[in-house]
Amino acid sequence: MRVAVDFEECLKDSPRFRAALEDVEGDVSELELKLDKLVKLCIAMIDTGKAFCGANKQFIHGLRDLAHYSSKDDLVEGNLTKFSDSLEEMINYHTILFDQTQRSIKAQLQMFVKEDIRKFKEAKKQFEKVSEEKESALCRNAQAPRNKPHEVEEATNILTATRKCFRHITLDYVLQINVLQSKRRSEILKSMLSFMCAHLAFFHQGYDLFSELGPYMKELGTQLDRLALDAAREKKEMEQRHSTIQQKDFSSDEMRPESSVDAVSGIVMEGDLFKRASNAFKTWNRRWFSIQNNQLVYQKKFRDAPTVVVEDLRLCTVKPSEELERRFCFEVVSPTKSCILQADSEKLRQEWVQAVQTSIASAYREKGEEAEVERKRPPSTGSPESSQESREKSLKGEGSLQRVQAIAGNGGCCDCGQPDPRWASINLGITLCIECSGIHRSLGVHFSKVRSLTLDSWEPELLKLMCELGNGVINRVYEANREKMGARKPHPGSPRQEKEQYIRAKYVDRRFVGRPALTPSQGGEEPPGSPQESAAPLEASPSSDQAPQESQEGGREGFGPAGLLHQPGGESQAASAPTASPDGRLRATGLQLYQAAYQKSLPRMAEALAQGADVNWGQREKDGFTPLVQAVRGGSLVTCEFLLQNGANVNLRDTRGRGPLHHATILGHTGQVCLFLKRGADQHARDEDGKEPLDVAIEAANADIVTLLRLARMNEEMRESEGFYGQPGDETYQDIFRDFSQMASHHPEKLKRFQPRDTPGGE
């Protein structure tokens, strides 16, 4: 062992000892600086290595994403996955290397600096302190006067004690110096040896990994050589095809639409067309159109959901449009809208028109065959109990189609019996097949308002209206005398002309409706709700005045195909029955509608309307109340909706100047107020006392109705301020009215604020 400072020299405290201390102290200071620098460089190396590993991990993630993207190519996916796994294993080896480096270099050298060099510095401080004390004691001993023995003795004692302490601390300091000089070699070399062993293990692991990967990489190289040869051959073939096609003459060719009548996907024809928008600017946009599954649809992009232009081609016609400024235009007309399209040439226009016409004929043929098959199936029967269960099930939130079709008789078309009807007449409360719905549309909305059960949105009150009526109820009204009159009802396979004649006779001429029963109770003396009012039957006796009415309309005893309606001898079946005056008949049907509206009986209301009742008939003995006012007093939201759908005037007032909105506000029927406001009720109308509906609601302290009326007034002012091209109203207003409408239909009890004594029922 080499001694840096001699122990005996330290006891002498000679200049040689002091010089040796200076050399050692300077060497230790420089050693500390070098070790601190090395530790900092090691930390930077570890941080850089971790960043390198992080970047490698990101690269591997990208490599795996590329492999997943190439999942259809087994060669690319398999090799990329293999390489990414190997690289990830190398990252693990790097991580182990950096952890070992941190333990060997950073941890060990920092420990040496913090412990051994710190002890050296503490010993140095104590040595310097005791050295100063020794110098002070020597000076004091030298300065002690000879004639003062006590001072000489005191100075001598202090010097002796100080020399003993100096020798002890100096020996400890020299020991610390020699230990540090000896230990620093082992600590430095030990940490570096550990660091190099970590590198050795790292490179061994990498070598082993790639030794296993070597044959795999060699095989891949051979495959890539073959792929390069194949790619060169394919490139040569494609260049030849390119040259061949380039030599063709495209001057007379047109972009033809793809046509495939027997396509498995149902696409008959597809191609690009210009479509004129329905907005105010009438802009033209190029879209990809196709005829598929008896529908005309288009897409802006390939992956966009197709937009249906015509839901069923049987309901539309197609014709060239020559009155437009643009060339090659044609028009597809449906009962609800018209779509103007433009082809790129006259030839393409003719092909599209022919394709649409062919699809229309094909759709009729296919539907006719399906109807014939359905007609031959045995009809399904059900008991009233099962019908009631179906109705209860339908009211629990199922879709519009399921809810309406669950009603008894709604499983087939009301007019021809076609199964699974997808359309409905909302003012009649019946379901229709697509062909009969087209005929109903042609009658006009004053006879039938057609809506789709699958495409249109349905308000809760409309769904309840459909569930209250149904094909069974309406057919008992509109076909009461059909069998007696010998009229034959069309079936699904009947020609369209025969169906149209039957539907017009049924709903426009009302030939099969029974005669209104004239009873003493219809004199108007009894108050609504009396026992006599409920005595009117749903199925009235055969009408005696039906025949004169028909003869006045042109004597249509026979219509449609032979055998549809027979009246032997040209005489009316009801010619011998006594006739009633028009005023008496109008009063009888009006009073029945008036009473049924109060009693919430939609079947009796439908019967009265079918027999010719005026939906706005007023009861003079009761302040001129209309059936709509009676529906308000009866507290039924569905009854009000039924009357409004059949043309009831929402602003018609009684003799006291009150309209339905006034009555609903007075009685606190929030749902009805919401309904009338949506139907355009005049919220500024004043009664004989000069009160508007808002004034009545404020007096009654009905917060819900006050809110609705104020929102309606604000929305009206907003629309007026926006002008002709403004928005249709505030969205918040629409949302609140929709919420009130839903609540009034499903939870009317939540809208009850108070109940006057004369109110017959809630909403």
Side-chain angles (χ1 to χ4, degrees), residues 312-453:
D312 196 309
L313 289 173
R314 292 178 299 166
L315 296 178
C316 74
T317 58
V318 59
K319 60 180 180 179
S321 184
E322 304 294 349
E323 65 276 7
L324 297 176
E325 182 179 355
R326 289 193 172 215
R327 301 173 300 159
F328 318 132
C329 294
F330 62 98
E331 184 177 9
V332 180
V333 183
S334 69
T336 57
K337 58 184 176 181
S338 172
C339 179
I340 297 180
L341 306 173
Q342 181 186 21
D344 295 336
S345 65
E346 178 62 28
K347 185 177 181 180
L348 291 179
R349 178 174 72 169
Q350 293 177 1
E351 291 184 2
W352 273 103
V353 171
Q354 183 179 2
V356 174
Q357 292 174 345
T358 304
S359 299
I360 293 173
S362 176
Y364 271 111
R365 184 173 59 256
E366 292 175 2
K367 293 297 181 180
E369 293 174 355
E370 293 177 3
E372 187 65 22
V373 173
E374 292 292 339
R375 187 179 64 84
K376 293 180 180 180
R377 292 181 181 177
S380 59
T381 58
S383 61
E385 291 79 5
S386 62
S387 174
Q388 181 65 21
E389 291 177 359
S390 300
R391 175 173 297 190
E392 292 176 356
K393 180 180 179 181
S394 68
L395 294 177
K396 292 182 180 179
E398 297 181 0
S400 304
L401 178 64
Q402 291 78 12
R403 291 183 62 178
V404 174
Q405 287 188 350
I407 307 304
N410 283 9
C413 174
C414 183
D415 296 328
C416 71
Q418 173 77 37
D420 192 24
R422 299 299 180 97
W423 298 80
S425 174
I426 57 177
N427 64 311
L428 294 173
I430 58 176
T431 59
L432 303 166
C433 67
I434 190 167
E435 187 172 11
C436 290
S437 69
I439 299 173
H440 273 254
R441 288 183 190 274
S442 66
L443 301 180
V445 294
H446 53 292
F447 287 108
S448 184
K449 299 178 181 178
V450 178
R451 181 177 290 192
S452 173
L453 288 168

Side-chain angles (χ1 to χ4, degrees), residues 449-466:
K449 299 178 181 178
V450 178
R451 181 177 290 192
S452 173
L453 288 168
T454 55
L455 301 178
D456 294 324
S457 59
W458 283 78
E459 296 83 1
E461 54 267 23
L462 275 181
L463 282 179
K464 284 196 172 184
L465 184 154
M466 296 294 300

Side-chain angles (χ1 to χ4, degrees), residues 651-665:
N651 289 314
L652 192 62
R653 305 194 204 179
D654 58 18
T655 57
R656 300 182 61 183
R658 294 175 177 173
L661 182 59
H662 266 98
H663 286 278
T665 305

Side-chain angles (χ1 to χ4, degrees), residues 10 41 548 723:
C10 74
L41 291 174

Side-chain angles (χ1 to χ4, degrees), residues 37 110 154 156 164 241 248 251 293 334 338 344-345 419 430 434 479 492 549 577 650 681 691 751:
K37 181 179 179 180
Q110 276 187 340
E154 181 181 0
T156 302
K164 289 181 179 180
R241 290 176 58 189
K248 290 184 177 181
S251 58
N293 300 324
S334 69
S338 172
D344 295 336
S345 65
I430 58 176
I434 190 167
E479 296 180 356
Q549 180 181 357
V650 74
K691 295 180 180 179
L751 298 178

